[in-house]
Amino acid sequence: MAAIKGKSRITFPLPQEEQHIVSNLRWMGLLINATPVALKGTPLNLLDTLCGRLEGLMEFEPGHAPAQVHH
């Protein structure tokens, strides 16, 4: 996909795998500059920042609650 700079350094065994990964990176807002990212962690670090971004994306909408899974 032409949307990723430096793609020549990345190889995927299947085109579907590449499309899936790129789609998920876009959903997380990691391939666009329009989404402001709040840096997190003490000291600031990328893993805490990524986790904070994912927490925001995965919040429940008002009126929805997490499902409980019982074995």
Side-chain angles (χ1 to χ4, degrees):
M1 303 198 113
I4 299 179
K5 293 180 181 179
K7 179 188 176 276
S8 62
R9 291 183 253 163
I10 302 169
T11 58
F12 296 91
L14 300 171
Q16 298 89 342
E17 186 176 318
E18 176 182 8
Q19 292 170 357
H20 179 73
I21 291 170
V22 170
S23 173
N24 287 324
L25 291 173
R26 282 196 180 113
W27 175 78
M28 289 186 272
L30 300 178
L31 297 180
I32 58 174
N33 293 328
T35 306
V37 177
L39 298 175
K40 297 191 179 248
T42 307
L44 294 176
N45 67 69
L46 294 177
L47 184 57
D48 287 340
T49 300
L50 176 61
C51 289
R53 175 75 180 133
L54 292 174
E55 286 173 357
L57 290 170
M58 300 173 82
E59 287 180 348
F60 290 99
E61 293 184 16
H64 288 91
Q68 294 182 352
V69 178
H70 299 278
H71 320 217

